[in-house]
Amino acid sequence: MKSPDENRKLELEKSIQTDFQKAMSYGDYLHLDKILSSQHQLSDHHDEMLFIIIHQTSELWMKLILHEVTEAIQFIRQNDLEPSFKILSRVSRIQQQLIQSWSVLSTLTPSEYLEFRDKLGQSSGFQSYQNRLIEFALGNKNAQTLAVYQHQQELYKKMHHALHKPSIYDAAIQALVARGICVDDEVLNRDLSKNYEPNLSVEEAWLTVYRNVDQYWDLYELAEKLVDIGHQQQIWRFNHMTTVERIIGHKQGTGGSSGVTYLKRILDQHFFPELWSIRTKL
């Protein structure tokens, strides 16, 4: 004989929805039929599925980063900094997911990858437009990278537009000015399509914030959030480089780049440079 508690549990189970002829199911909402049927292997090698899914899921996380960073930039440009803090904390957590993905991919050995590498043709992670958009949004601009998207006119226009938009660092510098902290006009009126270069007036502005935390708490908090996502992006780059080196050594990349050599050069490109240089001067 069942106890009253067990009977209540059974009654609750009866309420579970089972008829989805006219209702939206979990799979319907997430379009799982499309997502889970989008892994098309070009070889019969077992590990190609790992390679595909790692890169597809990474692109989904990147889509979410762009969604969040775009919203954060809007808040910062409106001088409403506080809502951006939670958003940027979320971005940092998403970046950690991307960083962790390299440890999964690193289970792919050189011999296993060689079994299907030639099937990739000239496709390469270098061509990830979402990763490029993230770099643009963080201030790393390079007009030459748009050349790989010329075959897709709509995407090319989107990339060109993003190249000329203010980065999150541009928005943060404008927030400094809005609080009465001086920054050189050459920074405020610079060509936004160019890569950001360090500036002494910006360094002095951030030093003012860090030396007067109580007065500029929100700007200080914003700065630390930016340092966090810049740091995470560098870790992602580093893990990318070491994973590539572990799997293919110093071979040329499938997209024609120098592979590991190219990825090592990228590590020298820092985000938000003054937020790092002030640490020595404080």
Side-chain angles (χ1 to χ4, degrees):
M1 185 173 178
K2 294 182 174 66
S3 69
D5 284 345
E6 288 175 321
N7 282 327
R8 277 196 294 272
K9 288 178 183 177
L10 289 174
E11 287 173 8
L12 287 173
E13 293 298 315
K14 289 177 182 178
S15 68
I16 293 176
Q17 179 79 21
T18 58
D19 183 2
F20 292 96
Q21 292 298 316
K22 296 181 180 180
M24 180 174 63
S25 70
Y26 174 81
D28 295 334
Y29 175 69
L30 295 176
H31 295 277
L32 291 181
D33 55 336
K34 295 178 182 178
I35 294 173
L36 299 179
S37 61
S38 296
Q39 294 72 47
H40 305 292
Q41 292 188 225
L42 298 179
S43 75
D44 58 2
H45 195 275
H46 173 83
D47 291 323
E48 189 183 356
M49 184 63 75
L50 163 70
F51 191 82
I52 292 170
I53 289 177
I54 285 290
H55 288 86
Q56 287 184 339
T57 53
S58 293
E59 290 293 335
L60 285 172
W61 284 125
M62 288 180 191
K63 182 174 183 176
L64 185 54
I65 286 177
L66 289 167
H67 176 72
E68 300 293 347
V69 169
T70 299
E71 184 78 352
I73 291 173
Q74 285 297 105
F75 279 119
I76 297 167
R77 295 187 73 186
Q78 294 165 10
N79 291 314
D80 188 11
L81 304 188
E82 191 169 341
S84 73
F85 301 156
K86 179 180 179 181
I87 293 172
L88 295 177
S89 292
R90 179 180 293 167
V91 169
S92 177
R93 298 292 182 89
I94 300 166
Q95 289 174 306
Q96 290 170 21
Q97 295 295 319
L98 284 166
I99 291 165
Q100 180 60 27
S101 70
W102 293 122
S103 68
V104 182
L105 187 60
S106 69
T107 64
L108 181 67
T109 68
S111 297
E112 290 163 347
Y113 183 47
L114 285 174
E115 291 292 326
F116 62 87
R117 188 181 189 232
D118 63 326
K119 300 292 185 181
L120 304 181
Q122 278 69 55
S123 64
S124 165
F126 178 84
Q127 298 147 18
S128 168
Y129 74 86
Q130 291 198 123
N131 182 47
R132 191 67 54 197
L133 287 173
I134 290 171
E135 295 271 328
F136 286 0
L138 299 184
N140 181 23
K141 306 283 188 74
N142 185 344
Q144 292 181 341
T145 59
L146 267 61
V148 299
Y149 310 109
Q150 290 181 101
H151 66 295
Q152 296 172 282
Q153 280 303 304
E154 287 305 311
L155 178 56
Y156 184 85
K157 290 177 184 176
K158 179 178 181 178
M159 300 296 293
H160 186 269
H161 178 67
L163 184 73
H164 289 81
K165 287 178 65 175
S167 71
I168 196 167
Y169 198 46
D170 292 314
I173 292 171
Q174 289 287 352
L176 291 169
V177 175
R179 293 290 291 277
I181 304 175
C182 292
V183 172
D184 289 346
D185 286 342
E186 65 183 80
V187 177
L188 302 177
N189 300 318
R190 73 185 191 85
D191 183 350
L192 296 177
S193 69
K194 304 293 185 183
N195 192 41
Y196 180 83
E197 297 293 338
N199 177 272
L200 183 59
S201 72
V202 175
E203 183 178 73
E204 289 297 325
W206 286 121
L207 279 170
T208 298
V209 170
Y210 275 73
R211 286 169 177 161
N212 300 276
V213 172
D214 291 340
Q215 183 180 354
Y216 300 110
W217 174 259
D218 54 348
L219 290 169
Y220 171 75
E221 184 71 9
L222 174 62
E224 286 298 297
K225 296 297 184 187
L226 293 179
V227 168
D228 193 24
I229 64 173
H231 184 207
Q232 298 289 354
Q233 191 71 5
Q234 283 291 77
I235 295 173
W236 182 87
R237 286 171 163 183
F238 179 79
N239 284 17
H240 182 190
M241 181 269 292
T242 55
T243 302
V244 170
E245 185 171 21
R246 175 173 177 162
I247 296 174
I248 68 167
H250 287 262
K251 292 186 181 73
Q252 186 181 57
T254 49
S257 75
S258 56
V260 169
T261 302
Y262 171 78
L263 295 174
K264 284 183 176 178
R265 286 204 308 270
I266 289 177
L267 284 171
D268 292 331
Q269 301 170 354
H270 289 282
F271 302 100
F272 325 131
E274 293 88 356
L275 293 179
W276 293 94
S277 64
I278 61 168
R279 280 153 164 75
T280 305
K281 296 189 175 182
L282 283 171

